[in-house]
Amino acid sequence: MSTGLKGWKDIPIGGMILEAGNSAEYETGGWRTFRPVMDKEKCKNCLFCWIYCPDSAIQVENEKIKEIDLKYCKGCGICAAECPAKAIEMVEEGKL
Amino acid sequence: MGKQVAMTGNIAVANAMRQINPDVCAAYPITPSTEVMQQFASFVADGKVDTELVTVESEHSAMSAGIGAAAAGGRVMTATSANGLALMWEMLYIASGNRLPIAMMVINRALSAPINIHGDHSDEMGARDAGWIQMYSENGQEAYDNIIQAILIGESEGVLLPAMVGMDGFIISHSIENLELLEDKQVRDFLGEFKPKHPLLNINKPITMGPLDLQDYYSEHKRQQAQAMQKAKAAILKVAKDYKAVSGREYGFFEPYKLEDADIGILTLGSSAGTTRFVVDLMREKGIKVGMIKLRVFRPFPIEELQQALSHLKALAVMDRSDSFGAAGGPVFSEVRSALYDLPARPKTVNYIYGLGGRDLGISPIERVVKDLQEIHQTEKIKELVTHLTVRE
Ligand code: SF4
Ligand code: SF4
């Protein structure tokens, strides 16, 4: 079986993760079924979505929304629900 | 040399814990193990140990606190019995799955219902798949010796597994026996300092323990646990050898008695080994070639070693002090019989479930077992595969 994953002799015991900060290696974007689509016209750059996003997927530059990082956005829809300007719509991935 | 003393099994174990001086001990009282922690709590109060004693509100919490302390990098111990062990169930698997070498004394007791506080093995046997090393003790001396050895076995390189040591409730835990305690210094030198491999408290090297582990890696981590159990076999023998050098007492996976030239044999574990040995001697006087084998280590199960020790027998009785309802006999029987299956010639093997809820196993029931074995030897026929011994019809 060749999966590219390591065998039992080559991984730390007990599921331990022996280095810090490696959650960046786990691309939660793979879980997404609905994608947040942002209407920049409506956006007021209040950064609520940035605060609420559980995966730090909202990218901010110069205190303004830049983009949503789809590598990590898992499509939870929290940003869309919290946005006071209704600037984010959740669109089914298959319909994009 | 050590010191000859008279004390109960529980007090002997509490003294072992005092000498071990673990970093953390979290426990909740339950009969018949209560006395262990009660005595140990006095040692803590009297400043005889450096242990942080955490008095928790349940056994589930006792094991949880132990897991946290062991993950932090401490040497951790606890003690429990029966329903207390059952309440720890979920956490037992977390201790072994996280590879934390916690040492626990289990004062073996029947599980409710109906409520019974006396000695049998249904508590510890029920936990046989929990990934813990398991040992059983015939008397207070063995309980004392086993719990000290359990510390080093669990901490051994390549093992890193928790270990539980059983001692029959009341029959051993509350009986005063003559036994030998090592000097405090001997125990401390024997154990040395625990150097945890991946302590969570090492802030210079932050790690994560117990993360989510899904279809992609969980199987590999379980495979590692299976391997660790195999490695524990060598560790058990190595620790026993070192312990003999200190104590003069010898331990292995099991202890055969008059087995070599025997035609028939009895395999047992725990306190009933003493009575069985007595009956073997009685029968030998009558010229009956019977021997016995006392199993000390149940996990890892010593398959090859038992095959070698038992293959020459014509008939074998396996004694189980717990039942596995609906299974092909008690837990010890199932495993011993399975171990013998691949031998070209193997003894006819039968099972006796006995002594549940602390019922005494006297001399006459064992004499009956010997009689049954003689009959099986002569006729080569098994009349009853599993017999509930010491039960009224
Ligand atoms: S859908 Fe969820 S994960 Fe994606 S950007 Fe919005 S809040 Fe973050
Ligand atoms: S919450 Fe809405 S309005 Fe505020 S920054 Fe995000 S998208 Fe823009």
Side-chain angles (χ1 to χ4, degrees), chain B residues 257-272:
Chain B
Y257 182 69
K258 300 193 176 173
L259 196 68
E260 257 174 39
D261 66 335
D263 294 323
I264 56 177
I266 301 174
L267 183 145
T268 189
L269 42 77
S271 63
S272 60

Side-chain angles (χ1 to χ4, degrees), chain B residues 77-299:
Chain B
M77 297 186 77
T78 187
T80 194
S81 291
N83 297 50
L85 182 64
L87 189 52
M88 284 182 183
W89 222 255
E90 175 188 8
M91 304 316 292
L92 293 180
Y93 284 78
I94 292 173
S96 59
N98 279 332
R99 309 295 298 277
L100 302 171
I102 298 166
M104 170 161 63
M105 197 68 209
V106 180
I107 318 301
N108 300 122
R109 164 187 149 178
L111 284 166
S112 304
I115 297 180
N116 179 297
I117 57 167
H118 288 277
D120 77 24
H121 298 154
S122 39
D123 52 2
E124 191 167 341
M125 279 298 164
R128 64 191 182 275
D129 293 337
W132 285 57
I133 290 162
Q134 284 198 342
M135 294 189 279
Y136 289 82
S137 322
E138 180 183 336
N139 48 39
Q141 181 75 71
E142 287 192 5
Y144 170 86
D145 292 339
N146 281 339
I147 195 70
I148 293 172
Q149 292 177 67
I151 299 275
L152 283 194
I153 294 166
E155 290 171 4
S156 295
E157 175 79 34
V159 179
L160 292 179
L161 288 175
M164 59 176 88
V165 173
M167 155 169 87
D168 291 0
F170 288 104
I171 303 167
I172 303 302
S173 69
H174 285 61
S175 299
I176 295 182
E177 285 178 79
N178 181 10
L179 50 93
E180 189 189 277
L181 298 186
L182 296 175
E183 298 293 343
D184 296 356
K185 188 175 178 316
Q186 284 180 304
V187 175
R188 289 187 190 179
D189 290 350
F190 175 70
L191 295 178
E193 197 193 330
F194 175 43
K195 295 196 184 68
K197 203 155 181 208
H198 305 294
L200 215 44
L201 280 189
N202 181 2
I203 51 168
N204 296 318
K205 194 180 183 307
I207 63 161
T208 304
M209 284 178 105
L212 190 68
D213 194 23
L214 299 178
Q215 295 96 324
D216 48 359
Y217 277 112
Y218 183 84
S219 298
E220 279 69 27
H221 290 124
K222 293 297 130 181
R223 178 67 186 85
Q224 291 175 333
Q225 271 179 258
Q227 183 72 6
M229 269 293 178
Q230 285 313 308
K231 289 241 169 151
K233 285 180 75 175
I236 287 164
L237 296 181
K238 158 93 172 58
V239 171
K241 192 165 160 254
D242 295 346
Y243 192 74
K244 189 187 171 193
V246 180
S247 68
R249 291 184 289 278
E250 192 159 350
Y251 288 93
F253 298 120
F254 46 73
E255 186 188 303
Y257 182 69
K258 300 193 176 173
L259 196 68
E260 257 174 39
D261 66 335
D263 294 323
I264 56 177
I266 301 174
L267 183 145
T268 189
L269 42 77
S271 63
S272 60
T275 324
T276 308
R277 198 178 293 109
F278 181 78
V279 173
V280 165
D281 285 343
L282 279 184
M283 298 291 126
R284 282 280 178 169
E285 276 170 31
K286 293 184 185 166
I288 300 166
K289 286 171 106 180
V290 59
M292 70 167 267
I293 186 162
K294 176 182 72 187
L295 194 60
R296 172 187 179 230
V297 179
F298 189 70
R299 285 287 180 272

